[in-house]
Amino acid sequence: MTPGPALALAARIQAGETTARAVTETALARIRDRGPAVNAFTALLADRALATAAALDRRIAAGEAVGPLAGLPVAAKNLFDLAGIPTLAGSRIRRTAPPATRDAFLVRRWEAAGAICLGALNMDEFAYGFTTENSHDGPARNPHDMAHPVGRIAGGSSGGSGAAVAAGLVPLSLGTDTNGSIRVPASLNGVWGLKPSYGRLSRHGAFPFVHSLDHVGPFARSVADLAAGYDALQGPDPEDPAQAPQPPAPVLPGLGAGIGGLRIAVLGGWFGRQQSAAARKAVAAVARALGATATVAWDMAEAARAAAFLITSAEGGALHLPTLRTRLEDYEPLIQDRLLAGALLPAAWVSQAQRVRGLARESMRALQRDWDILLAPATPVPATPIGQETLELDGASLPLRPSLGLFTQPISAIGLPVIAAPVPRAEGALPIGVQLIGRPFEEAVLFRAAAALEAAGVCAAPVAPDFAAGAI
């Protein structure tokens, strides 16, 4: 398996062809120079990053073993704790919060593997959105169409995480996914994204949104880099009680295994409607490459999405209710009403939603007895202009923001692992992603298929053209 740009850079640093400090200085300069156009970063930790890089260079010079991500610049959605700065969670309210006293667990895992965290990334406030049109920090902009008069959305809620990787500002980033917040920005920014199984990775040190639905995971520009980033994140954390008792399961060694023997089908029904021609073509291309000729239906997809909506509203509203009572006007205007409505939902509705969620999980389990991987669009459309309010799908006008999660939210509801695979389009057109959906804790199977798609040239995540020169 050919190493991706991140692993190749780490190898050069470890071989002494360059230094961690030189790479870090270059990355910081690029973020200061090219970053404002994308607005992916909300905080730079330059002094910390340079000190970490210098210490790593000393270890390499002394012949010490360093991790597989040695010297790689990374960044984290500003939902993750970074020692020394407040964890904003995209909000105005938390600007006066005390600085975090230590990094989130996943940030510590990456730095233990040799990575160097450069800072925090833009997001939808409190992770409640799909566009990263943040009223406090400004919108994150999709780097694939910088000529658009108002810019295009980077997706959300991890929009800064997807845009930073797509613009070559960092080779790896961290995001979170409650209803699609890794897969939507991965799709719109044309990068690889992983939502692991619910409970696979520790969420400790990431500001919560919906405890029963929150996932965390990485973004990258190649399958090997995504695999290496994911492998480094795995490990038990007693501080996250929701983490499943699963031993680490490295996926990088198995990338070259191919797809022989895998049973792969396309999800139809709910997943075959309400999509653009671009989404339809992307799924068809991936299906052809993987030999997926069957189309199957999951009859509970719409019900699972409705359940996820109710659970999200109720848990999010309950979490924020004390602050809503005193600081309502300081919340992002796009989420004020949703949080208030969620706090007022009857308990019986939420209980019923959890019951439906359980039934949906069981029905999918039955379907997955026959299929190792299921394919579906990641988003119904490519990136839309910033400020657009509606989508026209199947002859109907739908609200844009919730509709970006049409195909991701049902899968989040039942906690399945998903890789968002980027399908590049003709020159000048925008990328879009396809979901590779697996059984719980079978991420390795998804990585085999992703590697095959990349090797066949069907899926790829090049740096956005305007940012290709000097990409990290």
Side-chain angles (χ1 to χ4, degrees):
M1 185 79 187
T2 304
L7 288 178
L9 179 57
R12 291 181 57 225
I13 292 169
Q14 293 188 60
E17 296 174 16
T18 186
T19 65
R21 184 177 178 90
V23 170
T24 301
E25 288 175 340
T26 299
L28 291 170
R30 181 172 171 83
I31 292 165
R32 293 186 183 108
D33 179 39
R34 307 299 307 276
V38 179
N39 196 33
F41 276 81
T42 56
L44 271 182
L45 302 175
D47 291 343
R48 161 184 160 157
L50 291 170
T52 303
L56 183 69
D57 286 334
R58 289 193 293 271
R59 291 178 58 201
I60 293 172
E64 294 182 27
V66 291
L69 307 183
L72 291 182
V74 300
K77 183 177 184 176
N78 71 34
L79 204 72
F80 290 89
D81 288 348
L82 294 175
I85 62 173
T87 304
L88 298 182
S91 71
R92 171 184 294 165
I93 288 167
R94 292 190 54 80
R95 311 244 154 182
T96 55
T101 57
R102 64 170 176 165
D103 294 340
F105 180 81
L106 295 192
V107 176
R108 284 183 275 134
R109 290 289 300 179
W110 265 2
E111 290 216 330
I116 298 169
C117 186
L118 302 189
L121 298 166
N122 204 353
M123 60 177 285
D124 286 291
E125 183 175 83
F126 292 118
Y128 209 169
F130 281 131
T131 62
T132 311
E133 293 170 294
N134 189 295
S135 296
H136 315 305
D137 294 305
R141 294 181 179 83
N142 194 308
H144 285 280
D145 188 8
M146 297 304 294
H148 192 280
V150 298
R152 292 186 182 271
I153 60 171
S157 61
S158 310
S161 302
V165 171
L169 303 179
V170 288
L172 294 171
S173 68
L174 281 175
T176 65
D177 188 312
T178 302
N179 289 300
S181 291
I182 287 173
R183 291 159 289 158
V184 169
S187 175
L188 301 188
N189 289 287
V191 298
W192 296 91
L194 170 67
K195 183 196 80 65
S197 304
Y198 181 80
R200 167 64 88 178
L201 299 179
S202 170
R203 303 172 301 180
H204 189 260
F207 194 88
F209 176 26
V210 182
H211 282 288
S212 60
L213 295 173
D214 288 346
H215 302 67
V216 287
F219 294 81
R221 293 198 304 272
S222 81
V223 176
D225 292 344
L226 190 74
Y230 169 60
D231 285 350
L233 294 173
Q234 293 186 58
D237 178 14
E239 293 185 279
D240 183 358
Q243 192 178 23
Q246 294 281 335
V251 298
L252 187 59
L255 288 189
I259 59 170
L262 294 182
R263 301 164 299 169
I264 305 172
V266 176
L267 274 175
W270 174 262
F271 297 92
R273 303 190 297 270
Q274 295 182 308
Q275 57 183 273
S276 65
R280 204 175 302 278
K281 288 178 182 177
V283 172
V286 168
R288 283 194 302 271
L290 296 178
T293 57
T295 298
V296 299
W298 177 36
D299 293 336
M300 290 203 67
E302 187 172 8
R305 183 173 185 244
F309 257 119
L310 283 172
I311 294 165
T312 297
S313 296
E315 288 194 29
L319 177 68
H320 289 280
L321 183 56
T323 315
L324 287 166
R325 286 180 170 134
T326 59
R327 298 188 64 180
L328 175 63
E329 294 306 316
D330 287 331
Y331 277 86
E332 164 72 63
L334 294 171
I335 71 170
Q336 290 175 6
D337 290 348
R338 283 181 285 161
L339 287 173
L340 286 170
L344 297 173
L345 283 176
W349 292 16
V350 183
S351 177
Q352 176 72 347
Q354 291 287 11
R355 189 182 75 83
V356 169
R357 182 187 183 196
L359 293 171
R361 187 183 292 113
E362 290 302 315
S363 69
M364 175 57 84
R365 187 174 297 163
L367 180 62
Q368 289 185 312
R369 292 191 188 107
D370 298 321
W371 304 103
D372 301 298
I373 297 175
L374 299 170
L375 307 177
T379 53
V381 295
T384 54
I386 291 170
Q388 183 173 318
E389 295 292 336
T390 60
L391 289 178
E392 300 297 322
L393 296 172
D394 288 356
S397 181
L398 302 175
L400 182 143
R401 293 180 185 89
S403 296
L404 287 173
L406 279 169
F407 307 128
T408 56
Q409 197 164 20
I411 307 303
S412 295
I414 56 174
L416 299 180
V418 185
I419 288 179
V423 180
R425 299 177 63 206
E427 185 176 352
L430 296 166
I432 195 168
V434 173
Q435 293 186 92
L436 313 180
I437 304 162
R439 289 189 287 262
F441 301 102
E442 293 190 8
E443 285 85 356
V445 173
L446 301 180
F447 272 95
R448 286 171 55 191
L453 289 168
E454 187 177 55
V458 175
C459 293
V463 177
D466 287 350
F467 293 85
I472 302 299

